[in-house]
Amino acid sequence: MHKRIRSALGVALAAALLATVPQAPSQAHGGQAKPNAISLPDGFQPEGIATAGTYAYFGSRATGAIYRTDLISGEGEQISPATGTPSVGLKVDRRGRLFVSGGTAGDARVMDTRTGAVLARYQFATAPTFVNDVVLTREAAYFTDSNKPVLYRLPLGRDGAPPPADGFTAIPLTGAYQQVGTGINLNGIARTPDGKALIVVQSNTGILFRVDPATGVTTTVDVPGHTFANGDGLLLVGRMLYIVQNRLNQIAAVELNPSGTAGTVTGTITDPNFDVPTTVASTLGRLYLPNARFTTPPTPTTPYTVVAVRPLCEHVPGYAQSARTPASCSWIRFCRQGSSADHRVDGSRKECRLTAATERAPRRGNH
């Protein structure tokens, strides 16, 4: 089931060098080059993504199968067979356990990424339900339900071990959050930067909410002048929250305060390869998003891809890619001493480096 990487460079070289024989894109990029788009199995209908090292895992909303891809070579294979129910939001822990949201099945399962074996399964709810996305903390896994104002909590034991089948709890949401209609409400979920609470996005209103996981009390995240229509997957890297806006074919980037009560939009990321991306994960210094192609009628031969983009900091004056966290951005702070052309890279670092005066950014508070 190995698939070929689709890239503009690979296509150009194939046309120029071997007009009648398609060239393997991994050869076209050469060495350890990271392709910008990778093919998934035709007809797969991906939605969720989780990454670990050079590997990415995808769930099929059509069949529930799990597919693993090497993000450098583009080669992939199915590691878990079809379940007959959806596999949507995914997260993988450091021990190689993949947490899978079950969509309309109202369930979740935990599987071993090395063997594909299902380690545990949880029946959260019955119809109407859509268990959509998941986030992992040190203490628990939390799942959203797009059809119910509730989070499901799986407490994690020693070494992150999942609980028995009846070991989950439902957390009703109260406070600012209100369920609207019968469409997709709760969707993506992430931690706050300080790790003390959760952030969720309501797709049909575009509003971000902060959730106290102990009580279920919600408050609106203050992002002046902005909502996030079609908000889908969330990814927190440092204090930067990436919000996938699926049908808008873009990612919004919001710099949050430590508690996640407020944030500032720093920009958006778009890419010509986007075709209704749904979720996002980071690895290898890039952001990876599967194209769900909701606006394309699915068939067994419909092609699907995962797209790689650079983090926002590479496009915003005054930000630099963090040396410690490649997919994160850090504000460039100027040194208090030295010439006006000196600046400090990363607020936590002491050293300065010389840069052109034209690269200077305005002063800004600690970040």
Side-chain angles (χ1 to χ4, degrees):
M1 297 186 65
H2 292 176
K3 308 300 290 182
R4 292 183 301 170
I5 308 167
R6 296 184 176 185
S7 69
L9 181 56
V11 172
L13 287 174
L17 302 176
L18 294 171
T20 61
V21 180
Q23 179 175 337
S26 57
Q27 295 173 351
H29 284 275
Q32 296 295 298
K34 298 185 286 290
N36 295 325
I38 298 173
S39 291
L40 299 175
D42 289 348
F44 188 72
Q45 297 185 51
E47 184 157 344
I49 181 175
T51 54
T54 63
Y55 291 102
Y57 301 88
F58 303 91
S60 170
R61 68 181 186 274
T63 70
I66 303 295
Y67 187 81
R68 179 176 62 203
T69 295
D70 186 310
L71 296 172
I72 294 178
S73 72
E75 296 182 345
E77 62 179 337
Q78 181 175 291
I79 64 169
S80 182
T83 61
T85 57
S87 292
V88 282
L90 309 176
K91 289 293 185 296
V92 64
D93 70 11
R94 295 181 180 180
R95 300 165 185 86
R97 290 183 287 238
L98 186 69
F99 292 71
V100 183
S101 308
T104 53
D107 67 356
R109 67 188 189 275
V110 182
M111 56 171 289
D112 188 326
T113 57
R114 292 162 294 189
T115 66
V118 176
L119 305 175
R121 183 181 177 276
Y122 306 92
Q123 188 63 52
F124 294 144
T126 57
T129 180
F130 193 89
V131 179
N132 201 330
D133 208 353
V134 56
V135 66
L136 302 180
T137 70
R138 289 184 179 180
E139 298 81 20
Y142 294 89
F143 294 80
T144 59
D145 191 326
S146 296
N147 292 154
K148 300 178 187 291
V150 65
L151 299 181
Y152 305 110
R153 181 180 188 271
L154 291 182
L156 301 178
R158 188 173 182 177
D159 296 325
D166 60 353
F168 67 88
T169 56
I171 306 172
L173 300 186
T174 62
Y177 178 81
Q178 297 292 318
Q179 194 83 354
V180 177
T182 58
I184 298 295
N185 278 258
L186 287 177
N187 203 325
I189 184 169
R191 295 178 297 104
T192 55
D194 64 9
K196 296 180 179 179
L198 304 170
I199 301 288
V200 295
V201 64
Q202 187 174 23
S203 289
N204 51 1
T205 65
I207 299 173
L208 292 176
F209 294 93
R210 183 183 186 272
V211 183
D212 183 335
T215 64
V217 174
T218 65
T219 54
T220 302
V221 179
D222 183 19
V223 187
H226 292 276
T227 56
F228 305 96
N230 304 121
D232 203 325
L234 302 182
L235 173 67
L236 181 74
V237 183
R239 286 172 51 185
M240 190 73 74
L241 181 69
Y242 292 101
I243 306 164
V244 182
Q245 295 178 269
N246 53 36
R247 293 176 186 265
L248 300 185
N249 288 312
Q250 67 181 30
I251 311 167
V254 177
E255 186 182 17
L256 295 172
N257 63 11
S259 63
T261 59
T264 302
V265 173
T266 61
T268 59
I269 301 172
T270 61
D271 191 274
N273 289 320
F274 283 169
D275 192 350
V276 195
T278 45
T279 51
V280 57
S282 65
T283 192
L284 305 176
R286 302 211 282 180
L287 306 178
Y288 289 87
L289 302 89
N291 279 325
R293 307 195 71 189
F294 289 154
T295 57
T296 300
T299 72
T301 60
T302 301
Y304 293 94
T305 57
V306 55
V307 178
V309 296
R310 298 288 183 182
L312 184 69
C313 51
E314 296 195 359
H315 309 289
V316 179
Y319 279 86
Q321 194 168 21
S322 170
R324 292 172 298 170
T325 310
S328 181
C329 303
S330 297
W331 183 257
I332 296 174
R333 295 178 55 79
F334 293 101
C335 295
R336 294 183 181 276
Q337 298 179 351
S339 73
S340 61
D342 286 346
H343 72 247
R344 178 177 297 166
V345 181
D346 288 348
S348 63
R349 294 187 167 221
K350 301 298 183 183
E351 70 268 19
C352 299
R353 73 183 184 192
L354 189 67
T355 186
T358 57
E359 296 180 8
R360 296 192 63 200
R363 291 185 178 273
R364 183 166 173 165
N366 293 333
H367 282 267

